[in-house]
Amino acid sequence: MTDELRQRALAALTDARARTATLVDCVDDGELTAQHSPLMSPLVWDLAHIGNQEEQWLLRTVGGREALRPEIDSVYDAFEHPRASRPSLPLLPPSEARGYAADVRGRVLDVLERIPMEGAPLTEAGFAFGMIAQHEQQHDETMLITHQLRTGPAALVAPAPPPGSAHGLPSEVLVPAGPFTMGTSTEPWALDNERPAHRRDLPAFWLDTTPVSCGDYLAFMADGGYSDPRWWAAEGFEQIQRHHIAAPLFWHRDGGQWLRRRFGVTEPVPRDEPVLHVSWYEADAYARWAGRRLPSEAEWEKAARHDEAAGRSRRFPWGDEDPTPLHANLGQRHLRPASTGSYPGGASPLGVRQLMGDVWEWTASDFLPYPGFVAFPYREYSEVFFGGEHKVLRGGSFAVGPVACRGTFRNWDLPVRRQIFAGFRTARDAGHGEAGA
């Protein structure tokens, strides 16, 4: 078992580093050091931050090794320096950042070969290695967002997703009333905010079979959705008016056609893809306009994980096996969401599609701890973000690495955020006689 854990950790770290290289090797040093948006860090900051986190946790804390570059710890402390100010820091230049990250990784592999995989919370089942692999994949997603925000010709290429269609699918699925197990106490690399497993009991509800499509969203826009305050939370309507927002981010109108910019390519908005780059306020307004609502995160997780026949919660909608390209659009394989209705192999027991991958899905829920939550291994990962300021997103996007994607995984962000790879699906309460048992 120990050898299997080491191999799993090695594969996760190697996959993450290969993806990081893809994101930094496709542009020149000027692009790496530039700040393409005040919302994001320079790419070279993310690169060295990845190495610094790996050094602090895997070399120093787990491996007990001496610090390599203690003088840069504060430079790459994400809580000490907001993103907008990071270009003014004494950042490692690109060649030095690459060398530093590679040096750390070489030493980490030596630690991985020698350290026991049991006996301490950080090393039990290789948790710290899984945590750092997830951290790097999360920063890879952040860097991919930076690539989307940069101007100029395309620097990244990828094939289109496999074809799919929502034709013949029901528009919504009834999720019966009853209890289910939310969260996890057994997933070895689950993070603190996913824990512990606990019972939730929900009334019946209807949930969209697929995420809301661009075509659906265009109907909301054509009906004056952005100019009608009936559909908007007051702060959301004030936000779109102040910033003159009338479409998802990266969309613009050219004559009678809506176009979007995607990683340096301008193309017609694809009506059959899930809508992308919308804030929580936009998702909430669309749901109200449609006579529906956003699902709570408990509703989302029950639809994604609960297996009524087996009386248990699965790791993923399709079962317990790790995701493959047949299950979901993950890992930056395609640089875009797949058409709504794709990936039948990834459907939930109730037939809900694309709950994993494609787009992060906004939920109605604030980011709050589960009953019995314990911060681990540091408060700043989750605890400092709990409260009403952040909304929960679920499911992962095409930009999420499989190691950082689970049926229990919780993402969170401010409700104004639009640069993230977020869309949504809607829900409604079940009527009398529809509740199930």
Side-chain angles (χ1 to χ4, degrees):
M1 178 61 75
T2 296
D3 286 344
E4 291 178 12
L5 288 171
R6 292 190 207 283
Q7 287 302 311
R8 183 186 180 211
L10 176 62
L13 291 169
T14 302
D15 287 349
R17 188 54 48 87
R19 184 177 173 196
T20 301
T22 297
L23 290 158
V24 299
D25 291 350
C26 63
V27 291
D28 61 25
D29 285 1
E31 295 264 28
L32 291 176
T33 56
Q35 186 172 46
H36 298 282
S37 166
L39 295 171
M40 310 304 291
S41 310
L43 291 166
V44 74
W45 185 93
D46 287 286
L47 174 60
H49 171 78
I50 285 167
N52 186 249
Q53 286 291 106
E54 189 166 325
E55 183 195 345
Q56 290 194 49
W57 284 103
L58 298 186
L59 279 190
R60 302 182 202 172
T61 305
V62 172
R65 307 290 179 90
E66 290 188 10
L68 293 179
R69 300 290 299 267
E71 77 280 4
I72 68 172
D73 288 355
S74 65
V75 174
Y76 295 101
D77 185 332
F79 291 92
E80 188 172 338
H81 306 288
R83 288 173 174 174
S85 69
R86 291 173 188 170
S88 64
L89 298 172
L91 303 179
L92 300 182
S95 61
E96 194 172 345
R98 284 188 174 95
Y100 169 62
D103 187 17
V104 170
R105 175 54 58 86
R107 296 167 190 260
V108 161
L109 296 183
D110 182 62
V111 170
L112 178 59
E113 287 182 2
R114 301 168 186 269
I115 203 76
M117 291 291 182
E118 58 186 6
L122 268 179
T123 54
E124 186 70 33
F127 173 82
F129 298 94
M131 178 183 75
I132 289 300
Q134 290 177 80
H135 174 265
E136 182 162 354
Q137 287 280 8
Q138 288 166 332
H139 274 272
D140 289 340
E141 181 176 8
T142 298
M143 288 195 283
L144 190 61
I145 292 169
T146 302
H147 271 278
Q148 170 63 10
L149 286 162
R150 66 178 279 276
T151 58
L156 296 165
V157 294
S165 173
H167 181 73
L169 294 177
S171 63
E172 59 181 355
V173 169
L174 177 65
V175 181
F180 80 106
T181 299
M182 186 172 185
T184 180
S185 297
T186 58
E187 185 72 29
W189 290 359
L191 304 171
D192 60 2
N193 63 66
E194 301 171 64
R195 300 173 181 270
H198 58 286
R199 177 187 166 104
R200 294 293 301 270
D201 202 338
L202 299 177
F205 63 96
W206 292 88
L207 184 71
D208 288 340
T209 305
T210 65
V212 170
S213 71
C214 293
D216 296 330
Y217 200 82
L218 282 165
F220 165 69
M221 293 166 58
D223 197 41
Y226 275 92
S227 60
D228 191 335
R230 288 182 299 165
W231 314 129
W232 295 82
E235 59 273 24
F237 196 65
E238 189 274 333
Q239 173 83 6
I240 66 164
Q241 288 190 310
R242 176 155 39 97
H243 295 284
H244 307 290
I245 295 170
L249 188 60
F250 307 115
W251 287 27
H252 70 275
R253 195 176 184 93
D254 183 14
Q257 185 179 34
W258 281 98
L259 304 176
R260 73 173 181 187
R261 180 170 59 82
R262 182 181 59 83
F263 299 109
V265 175
T266 297
E267 59 191 11
V269 167
R271 298 182 67 90
D272 60 348
E273 277 187 17
V275 68
L276 188 64
H277 295 302
V278 290
S279 69
W280 182 90
Y281 290 122
E282 289 169 289
D284 179 63
Y286 172 94
R288 296 184 197 211
W289 169 82
R292 299 172 68 84
R293 58 177 174 80
L294 295 178
S296 69
E297 72 161 323
E299 289 175 329
W300 188 97
E301 187 169 326
K302 183 175 184 181
R305 298 184 62 213
H306 185 58
D307 184 340
E308 185 76 24
R312 69 179 188 93
S313 289
R314 300 172 168 188
R315 293 179 67 215
F316 299 97
W318 55 84
D320 294 335
E321 66 269 29
D322 288 338
T324 72
L326 295 177
H327 293 125
N329 180 8
L330 293 164
Q332 197 182 311
R333 287 195 310 270
H334 301 301
L335 290 178
R336 67 190 302 162
S339 299
T340 56
S342 296
Y343 296 99
S348 76
L350 293 171
V352 185
R353 300 279 182 97
Q354 292 166 285
L355 286 157
M356 294 282 134
D358 288 308
V359 296
W360 285 107
E361 298 184 17
W362 288 110
T363 72
S365 299
D366 296 335
F367 184 49
L368 299 171
Y370 290 159
F373 168 83
V374 176
F376 178 78
Y378 58 106
R379 288 185 63 247
E380 289 79 10
Y381 182 72
S382 301
E383 188 173 350
V384 298
F385 297 101
F386 289 147
E389 290 188 1
H390 296 88
K391 294 294 186 182
V392 174
L393 302 103
R394 287 303 205 103
S397 72
F398 66 87
V400 171
V403 72
C405 181
R406 292 176 288 280
T408 57
F409 192 93
R410 305 172 76 196
N411 190 9
W412 66 93
D413 215 324
L414 299 171
V416 298
R417 287 285 187 253
R418 308 175 80 224
Q419 79 273 19
I420 60 177
F421 300 114
F424 63 101
R425 72 180 75 215
T426 68
R428 67 179 175 93
D429 298 341
H432 294 298
E434 298 178 313

